[in-house]
Amino acid sequence: STAEEVVGKPGKFEIRIQVGPNETRHVVYGDAVQSVELPRGDQSGMWGVPFTLSEEGALTFQRIAKEVGATRNPKAHEVSMYLDKDEIFSAPLAPELASALDKAPMRSLVAEVGAGDAGSRKAKELYIHLREGALPVNVKIIGSGQVDAALGSQFKFQVALAGILAILAVGLLVFYRYRERRIVLPIVCTSFSEVILMLGVWSAAGWQLDLASIAGIIMVIGTGVDHLFIITDELLHGERVTERNEQEAKGVLLTGKIYLARLSRAFYIILGAAATTIAAMIPLLWMGFGALMGFALITIIGVLIGVGIARPAYGRIIGYILGEVA
Protein backbone atom coordinates (compact mmCIF):
# COMPACT_ATOMS: atom_id res chain seq x y z
CA SER A 1 0.00 0.00 0.00
CA THR A 2 2.88 2.37 0.74
CA ALA A 3 4.48 1.61 -2.63
CA GLU A 4 1.21 2.20 -4.45
CA GLU A 5 0.73 5.50 -2.67
CA VAL A 6 4.21 6.69 -3.61
CA VAL A 7 4.13 5.46 -7.21
CA GLY A 8 0.58 6.51 -7.90
CA LYS A 9 1.16 10.11 -6.86
CA PRO A 10 3.45 11.90 -9.35
CA GLY A 11 5.60 14.68 -7.96
CA LYS A 12 4.49 18.26 -8.56
CA PHE A 13 7.47 20.05 -10.08
CA GLU A 14 7.60 23.84 -10.19
CA ILE A 15 10.09 26.55 -11.17
CA ARG A 16 9.87 29.88 -9.33
CA ILE A 17 11.87 33.14 -9.41
CA GLN A 18 12.64 35.22 -6.34
CA VAL A 19 11.02 38.68 -6.45
CA GLY A 20 11.70 39.82 -2.87
CA PRO A 21 13.45 38.86 0.36
CA ASN A 22 10.84 36.21 1.21
CA GLU A 23 8.71 36.18 -1.91
CA THR A 24 8.87 34.11 -5.09
CA ARG A 25 6.81 34.08 -8.26
CA HIS A 26 5.59 31.01 -10.13
CA VAL A 27 7.08 30.48 -13.59
CA VAL A 28 6.24 27.00 -14.98
CA TYR A 29 5.22 23.52 -13.83
CA GLY A 30 6.76 20.18 -14.75
CA ASP A 31 4.75 19.81 -17.95
CA ALA A 32 6.88 22.59 -19.45
CA VAL A 33 10.00 20.40 -19.15
CA GLN A 34 10.16 18.44 -22.40
CA SER A 35 13.33 16.40 -21.78
CA VAL A 36 16.08 15.89 -19.22
CA GLU A 37 19.59 14.73 -20.12
CA LEU A 38 22.09 12.82 -18.01
CA PRO A 39 24.26 14.88 -15.62
CA ARG A 40 27.58 16.01 -17.04
CA GLY A 41 30.64 17.92 -15.88
CA ASP A 42 32.53 20.63 -17.72
CA GLN A 43 36.28 21.21 -17.97
CA SER A 44 36.33 23.14 -14.69
CA GLY A 45 34.73 20.22 -12.83
CA MET A 46 31.35 21.89 -12.43
CA TRP A 47 28.43 19.44 -12.61
CA GLY A 48 25.09 20.29 -14.16
CA VAL A 49 21.85 18.76 -15.43
CA PRO A 50 20.79 19.87 -18.94
CA PHE A 51 17.05 20.09 -19.58
CA THR A 52 14.84 21.47 -22.33
CA LEU A 53 11.73 23.61 -21.93
CA SER A 54 8.81 23.59 -24.32
CA GLU A 55 8.44 26.58 -26.61
CA GLU A 56 5.60 27.98 -24.50
CA GLY A 57 7.54 27.31 -21.29
CA ALA A 58 10.62 29.10 -22.66
CA LEU A 59 8.54 32.14 -23.61
CA THR A 60 6.97 32.23 -20.13
CA PHE A 61 10.36 31.85 -18.45
CA GLN A 62 11.81 34.76 -20.48
CA ARG A 63 8.80 37.00 -19.91
CA ILE A 64 8.74 36.59 -16.13
CA ALA A 65 12.53 36.81 -15.83
CA LYS A 66 12.41 40.19 -17.58
CA GLU A 67 9.41 41.40 -15.58
CA VAL A 68 11.01 40.73 -12.18
CA GLY A 69 14.43 42.03 -13.27
CA ALA A 70 16.30 38.73 -13.19
CA THR A 71 17.90 39.44 -16.58
CA ARG A 72 19.36 42.74 -15.34
CA ASN A 73 20.27 41.73 -11.78
CA PRO A 74 20.40 37.92 -11.68
CA LYS A 75 22.05 37.67 -8.24
CA ALA A 76 19.06 39.31 -6.58
CA HIS A 77 16.55 37.01 -8.28
CA GLU A 78 17.49 33.36 -7.83
CA VAL A 79 15.73 30.64 -9.79
CA SER A 80 14.36 27.89 -7.52
CA MET A 81 13.01 24.44 -8.31
CA TYR A 82 10.49 22.70 -6.08
CA LEU A 83 9.20 19.14 -5.98
CA ASP A 84 6.12 18.69 -3.81
CA LYS A 85 6.88 22.12 -2.24
CA ASP A 86 10.37 20.96 -1.21
CA GLU A 87 13.20 23.05 -2.64
CA ILE A 88 15.59 20.90 -4.67
CA PHE A 89 17.62 23.59 -6.43
CA SER A 90 18.27 27.32 -6.11
CA ALA A 91 20.79 29.47 -7.96
CA PRO A 92 20.93 32.80 -9.79
CA LEU A 93 20.94 33.00 -13.57
CA ALA A 94 24.40 32.82 -15.12
CA PRO A 95 25.44 36.22 -16.55
CA GLU A 96 25.59 34.80 -20.09
CA LEU A 97 22.11 33.28 -19.75
CA ALA A 98 20.67 36.48 -18.25
CA SER A 99 22.04 38.51 -21.16
CA ALA A 100 20.67 36.01 -23.69
CA LEU A 101 17.23 35.92 -22.03
CA ASP A 102 17.01 39.69 -22.25
CA LYS A 103 17.00 39.31 -26.04
CA ALA A 104 15.28 35.97 -26.80
CA PRO A 105 13.74 32.93 -25.06
CA MET A 106 16.08 30.03 -24.30
CA ARG A 107 14.77 26.45 -24.41
CA SER A 108 17.99 24.57 -23.56
CA LEU A 109 19.10 25.24 -19.99
CA VAL A 110 21.59 23.70 -17.54
CA ALA A 111 21.10 23.61 -13.78
CA GLU A 112 24.63 23.74 -12.29
CA VAL A 113 24.89 22.32 -8.77
CA GLY A 114 28.59 22.34 -7.86
CA ALA A 115 31.95 20.67 -8.42
CA GLY A 116 33.66 17.49 -7.26
CA ASP A 117 32.05 14.39 -5.81
CA ALA A 118 29.45 16.43 -3.94
CA GLY A 119 28.44 18.15 -7.15
CA SER A 120 28.21 14.84 -8.99
CA ARG A 121 25.97 13.42 -6.26
CA LYS A 122 23.70 16.50 -6.26
CA ALA A 123 23.50 16.42 -10.06
CA LYS A 124 22.32 12.81 -10.01
CA GLU A 125 19.69 13.61 -7.40
CA LEU A 126 18.49 16.65 -9.36
CA TYR A 127 18.33 14.56 -12.53
CA ILE A 128 15.98 12.10 -10.81
CA HIS A 129 13.80 14.90 -9.46
CA LEU A 130 13.59 16.60 -12.85
CA ARG A 131 12.68 13.36 -14.57
CA GLU A 132 10.04 12.61 -11.94
CA GLY A 133 8.57 16.10 -12.14
CA ALA A 134 8.58 16.15 -15.96
CA LEU A 135 6.10 13.31 -16.35
CA PRO A 136 3.72 14.38 -19.15
CA VAL A 137 0.71 12.51 -17.75
CA ASN A 138 -0.62 11.38 -14.41
CA VAL A 139 0.23 7.91 -13.19
CA LYS A 140 -2.52 5.31 -13.16
CA ILE A 141 -1.98 2.02 -11.32
CA ILE A 142 -3.44 -0.85 -13.35
CA GLY A 143 -2.11 -3.71 -11.26
CA SER A 144 0.27 -4.71 -8.51
CA GLY A 145 2.15 -7.80 -7.43
CA GLN A 146 4.63 -9.07 -4.94
CA VAL A 147 7.87 -11.03 -5.26
CA ASP A 148 9.22 -12.51 -2.04
CA ALA A 149 12.88 -11.85 -1.30
CA ALA A 150 15.21 -14.85 -1.19
CA LEU A 151 18.54 -15.34 0.57
CA GLY A 152 21.37 -14.70 -1.86
CA SER A 153 23.28 -17.98 -1.38
CA GLN A 154 20.11 -20.08 -1.42
CA PHE A 155 18.82 -18.31 -4.53
CA LYS A 156 22.11 -18.85 -6.39
CA PHE A 157 22.10 -22.52 -5.45
CA GLN A 158 18.51 -22.92 -6.66
CA VAL A 159 19.29 -21.17 -9.97
CA ALA A 160 22.37 -23.35 -10.53
CA LEU A 161 20.42 -26.49 -9.68
CA ALA A 162 17.56 -25.51 -12.00
CA GLY A 163 20.03 -24.83 -14.83
CA ILE A 164 21.73 -28.20 -14.41
CA LEU A 165 18.40 -30.02 -14.31
CA ALA A 166 17.21 -28.18 -17.41
CA ILE A 167 20.36 -29.13 -19.33
CA LEU A 168 20.01 -32.76 -18.26
CA ALA A 169 16.34 -32.77 -19.26
CA VAL A 170 17.10 -31.39 -22.72
CA GLY A 171 19.96 -33.85 -23.16
CA LEU A 172 17.81 -36.84 -22.17
CA LEU A 173 15.03 -35.71 -24.50
CA VAL A 174 17.45 -35.37 -27.41
CA PHE A 175 18.98 -38.81 -26.75
CA TYR A 176 15.54 -40.40 -26.42
CA ARG A 177 14.44 -38.89 -29.71
CA TYR A 178 17.50 -39.63 -31.87
CA ARG A 179 19.32 -42.44 -29.99
CA GLU A 180 22.54 -40.74 -31.02
CA ARG A 181 24.97 -39.52 -28.36
CA ARG A 182 26.90 -37.31 -30.78
CA ILE A 183 23.85 -35.08 -31.30
CA VAL A 184 23.17 -34.44 -27.59
CA LEU A 185 26.18 -32.24 -26.85
CA PRO A 186 25.82 -29.84 -29.86
CA ILE A 187 22.13 -29.18 -29.08
CA VAL A 188 22.75 -28.60 -25.37
CA CYS A 189 25.78 -26.37 -26.02
CA THR A 190 23.94 -24.38 -28.69
CA SER A 191 21.02 -23.68 -26.33
CA PHE A 192 23.42 -22.72 -23.54
CA SER A 193 25.37 -20.37 -25.84
CA GLU A 194 22.13 -18.61 -26.84
CA VAL A 195 21.41 -17.83 -23.18
CA ILE A 196 24.93 -16.44 -22.71
CA LEU A 197 24.57 -14.25 -25.82
CA MET A 198 21.17 -12.92 -24.74
CA LEU A 199 22.40 -12.11 -21.23
CA GLY A 200 25.49 -10.45 -22.73
CA VAL A 201 23.41 -8.15 -24.92
CA TRP A 202 21.05 -7.40 -22.03
CA SER A 203 23.95 -6.61 -19.70
CA ALA A 204 25.81 -4.48 -22.27
CA ALA A 205 22.68 -2.37 -22.77
CA GLY A 206 22.33 -1.92 -19.00
CA TRP A 207 18.71 -3.14 -18.91
CA GLN A 208 17.02 -4.60 -15.84
CA LEU A 209 16.61 -8.38 -15.83
CA ASP A 210 13.22 -9.01 -14.22
CA LEU A 211 10.89 -12.01 -14.05
CA ALA A 212 9.27 -11.16 -17.38
CA SER A 213 12.68 -11.04 -19.08
CA ILE A 214 13.58 -14.43 -17.60
CA ALA A 215 10.28 -15.80 -18.92
CA GLY A 216 11.25 -14.46 -22.36
CA ILE A 217 14.61 -16.25 -22.14
CA ILE A 218 12.87 -19.51 -21.25
CA MET A 219 10.52 -19.11 -24.20
CA VAL A 220 13.42 -18.45 -26.56
CA ILE A 221 15.19 -21.56 -25.29
CA GLY A 222 12.08 -23.64 -25.99
CA THR A 223 11.63 -22.32 -29.51
CA GLY A 224 15.38 -22.64 -30.08
CA VAL A 225 15.39 -26.35 -29.22
CA ASP A 226 12.43 -26.81 -31.58
CA HIS A 227 14.43 -25.18 -34.38
CA LEU A 228 17.42 -27.41 -33.69
CA PHE A 229 15.11 -30.43 -33.88
CA ILE A 230 13.85 -29.20 -37.26
CA ILE A 231 17.42 -28.96 -38.61
CA THR A 232 18.34 -32.40 -37.25
CA ASP A 233 15.14 -34.03 -38.52
CA GLU A 234 15.65 -32.60 -42.02
CA LEU A 235 19.19 -33.93 -42.25
CA LEU A 236 18.43 -37.35 -40.74
CA HIS A 237 15.08 -37.79 -42.49
CA GLY A 238 16.54 -36.92 -45.88
CA GLU A 239 19.38 -39.36 -45.36
CA ARG A 240 17.03 -42.24 -44.54
CA VAL A 241 14.67 -41.49 -47.41
CA THR A 242 17.33 -41.35 -50.12
CA GLU A 243 19.00 -44.61 -49.06
CA ARG A 244 17.49 -48.02 -49.48
CA ASN A 245 17.67 -48.95 -45.85
CA GLU A 246 18.78 -47.47 -42.55
CA GLN A 247 21.78 -49.77 -42.17
CA GLU A 248 23.27 -48.64 -45.46
CA ALA A 249 22.47 -45.00 -44.67
CA LYS A 250 24.61 -45.00 -41.54
CA GLY A 251 27.76 -45.37 -43.57
CA VAL A 252 26.98 -42.85 -46.31
CA LEU A 253 28.46 -39.34 -46.24
CA LEU A 254 26.24 -36.38 -46.98
CA THR A 255 27.52 -34.56 -50.03
CA GLY A 256 27.75 -30.78 -49.99
CA LYS A 257 24.79 -30.25 -52.34
CA ILE A 258 22.50 -32.64 -50.47
CA TYR A 259 23.52 -31.13 -47.14
CA LEU A 260 22.84 -27.57 -48.32
CA ALA A 261 19.50 -28.53 -49.87
CA ARG A 262 18.25 -30.16 -46.68
CA LEU A 263 19.60 -27.35 -44.52
CA SER A 264 17.89 -24.80 -46.76
CA ARG A 265 14.54 -26.56 -46.29
CA ALA A 266 15.03 -26.49 -42.53
CA PHE A 267 15.93 -22.79 -42.53
CA TYR A 268 12.92 -21.98 -44.68
CA ILE A 269 10.72 -23.35 -41.87
CA ILE A 270 12.80 -21.72 -39.12
CA LEU A 271 12.79 -18.26 -40.72
CA GLY A 272 9.02 -18.42 -41.12
CA ALA A 273 8.58 -19.35 -37.46
CA ALA A 274 11.03 -16.64 -36.36
CA ALA A 275 9.26 -13.99 -38.42
CA THR A 276 5.94 -15.01 -36.88
CA THR A 277 7.37 -14.75 -33.35
CA ILE A 278 8.87 -11.31 -34.00
CA ALA A 279 5.63 -10.09 -35.58
CA ALA A 280 3.73 -11.26 -32.49
CA MET A 281 6.16 -9.42 -30.16
CA ILE A 282 6.21 -6.08 -32.02
CA PRO A 283 2.76 -4.97 -30.73
CA LEU A 284 3.89 -5.67 -27.14
CA LEU A 285 7.11 -3.75 -27.77
CA TRP A 286 5.28 -0.83 -29.37
CA MET A 287 2.23 -0.54 -27.12
CA GLY A 288 3.40 -2.38 -24.01
CA PHE A 289 4.91 -0.99 -20.85
CA GLY A 290 7.14 -2.16 -18.05
CA ALA A 291 7.48 -5.92 -17.85
CA LEU A 292 5.69 -6.52 -21.17
CA MET A 293 8.27 -4.46 -23.03
CA GLY A 294 11.12 -6.39 -21.40
CA PHE A 295 9.50 -9.70 -22.31
CA ALA A 296 8.98 -8.65 -25.93
CA LEU A 297 12.43 -7.09 -26.30
CA ILE A 298 14.44 -10.04 -25.00
CA THR A 299 12.31 -12.44 -27.05
CA ILE A 300 13.06 -10.50 -30.25
CA ILE A 301 16.76 -10.29 -29.36
CA GLY A 302 16.88 -14.03 -28.65
CA VAL A 303 15.14 -14.93 -31.91
CA LEU A 304 17.51 -12.71 -33.91
CA ILE A 305 20.56 -14.18 -32.16
CA GLY A 306 19.26 -17.70 -32.78
CA VAL A 307 18.51 -17.18 -36.48
CA GLY A 308 21.62 -15.12 -37.16
CA ILE A 309 24.23 -16.99 -35.11
CA ALA A 310 23.14 -20.13 -33.27
CA ARG A 311 21.17 -21.93 -36.01
CA PRO A 312 23.81 -21.53 -38.75
CA ALA A 313 26.53 -22.61 -36.32
CA TYR A 314 24.56 -25.70 -35.30
CA GLY A 315 23.84 -26.49 -38.96
CA ARG A 316 27.56 -26.53 -39.70
CA ILE A 317 28.36 -28.59 -36.60
CA ILE A 318 25.67 -31.22 -37.20
CA GLY A 319 26.74 -31.38 -40.85
CA TYR A 320 30.24 -32.43 -39.86
CA ILE A 321 28.89 -34.90 -37.31
CA LEU A 322 26.67 -36.58 -39.91
CA GLY A 323 29.52 -36.72 -42.41
CA GLU A 324 28.91 -33.62 -44.54
CA VAL A 325 31.49 -33.09 -47.25
CA ALA A 326 32.18 -29.36 -47.76
Side-chain angles (χ1 to χ4, degrees):
S1 60
T2 303
E4 289 182 354
E5 181 181 355
V6 173
V7 174
K9 183 182 178 182
K12 184 180 179 181
F13 179 82
E14 184 182 10
I15 297 179
R16 302 182 69 91
I17 293 182
Q18 184 179 1
V19 296
N22 296 310
E23 184 182 358
T24 59
R25 180 175 173 180
H26 166 76
V27 182
V28 292
Y29 287 113
D31 56 358
V33 181
Q34 279 196 338
S35 63
V36 184
E37 299 180 20
L38 290 171
R40 64 189 183 194
D42 57 18
Q43 295 180 350
S44 62
M46 181 67 67
W47 283 88
V49 182
F51 63 97
T52 303
L53 295 176
S54 64
E55 186 174 350
E56 182 181 353
L59 289 172
T60 304
F61 188 86
Q62 181 208 22
R63 177 177 58 82
I64 296 179
K66 293 178 67 175
E67 288 179 0
V68 301
T71 57
R72 297 184 299 274
N73 186 11
K75 291 185 178 181
H77 303 279
E78 290 194 354
V79 177
S80 302
M81 298 181 184
Y82 294 85
L83 185 64
D84 290 337
K85 298 182 180 181
D86 295 327
E87 185 178 284
I88 59 174
F89 173 82
S90 181
L93 293 174
E96 299 84 0
L97 177 59
S99 177
L101 278 174
D102 202 31
K103 301 174 183 178
M106 304 294 294
R107 296 187 59 189
S108 298
L109 304 173
V110 179
E112 293 186 340
V113 295
D117 294 337
S120 175
R121 184 174 61 256
K122 291 180 180 178
K124 293 177 182 178
E125 293 175 356
L126 181 59
Y127 168 75
I128 295 173
H129 292 320
L130 277 171
R131 287 293 301 269
E132 180 182 356
L135 289 174
V137 295
N138 291 328
V139 176
K140 180 181 179 182
I141 299 177
I142 64 171
S144 62
Q146 177 179 329
V147 179
D148 294 330
L151 295 176
S153 58
Q154 181 181 0
F155 180 71
K156 288 188 291 185
F157 171 77
Q158 291 174 346
V159 169
L161 180 61
I164 294 173
L165 293 177
I167 292 175
L168 290 177
V170 172
L172 290 174
L173 179 62
V174 173
F175 181 76
Y176 176 79
R177 180 178 177 84
Y178 297 109
R179 305 293 182 177
E180 178 59 65
R181 289 177 295 178
R182 295 178 301 169
I183 299 177
V184 175
L185 186 60
I187 290 182
V188 172
C189 290
T190 302
S191 299
F192 183 73
S193 66
E194 285 187 67
V195 176
I196 298 299
L197 288 171
M198 283 188 288
L199 293 177
V201 172
W202 206 254
S203 176
W207 294 324
Q208 181 70 33
L209 188 65
D210 52 15
L211 292 177
S213 304
I214 295 174
I217 293 175
I218 294 173
M219 193 187 80
V220 170
I221 293 174
T223 57
V225 173
D226 289 342
H227 293 171
L228 301 182
F229 280 2
I230 291 172
I231 295 174
T232 308
D233 282 347
E234 272 296 329
L235 296 178
L236 291 178
H237 178 71
E239 182 179 358
R240 291 168 181 166
V241 168
T242 42
E243 302 304 326
R244 293 184 178 180
N245 57 66
E246 190 173 344
Q247 289 296 327
E248 293 178 0
K250 290 182 179 179
V252 176
L253 295 178
L254 291 173
T255 63
K257 291 183 179 179
I258 296 176
Y259 161 77
L260 290 176
R262 297 172 184 173
L263 194 61
S264 298
R265 287 197 300 267
F267 267 90
Y268 180 79
I269 301 172
I270 290 172
L271 289 174
T276 303
T277 302
I278 293 176
M281 292 297 109
I282 287 177
L284 287 181
L285 186 63
W286 182 259
M287 298 183 296
F289 54 89
L292 291 179
M293 290 185 63
F295 174 79
L297 185 59
I298 200 166
T299 301
I300 293 175
I301 291 174
V303 170
L304 293 176
I305 288 175
V307 173
I309 301 176
R311 311 293 180 268
Y314 175 76
R316 174 61 67 178
I317 293 171
I318 197 66
Y320 279 113
I321 290 177
L322 296 179
E324 181 263 332
V325 179

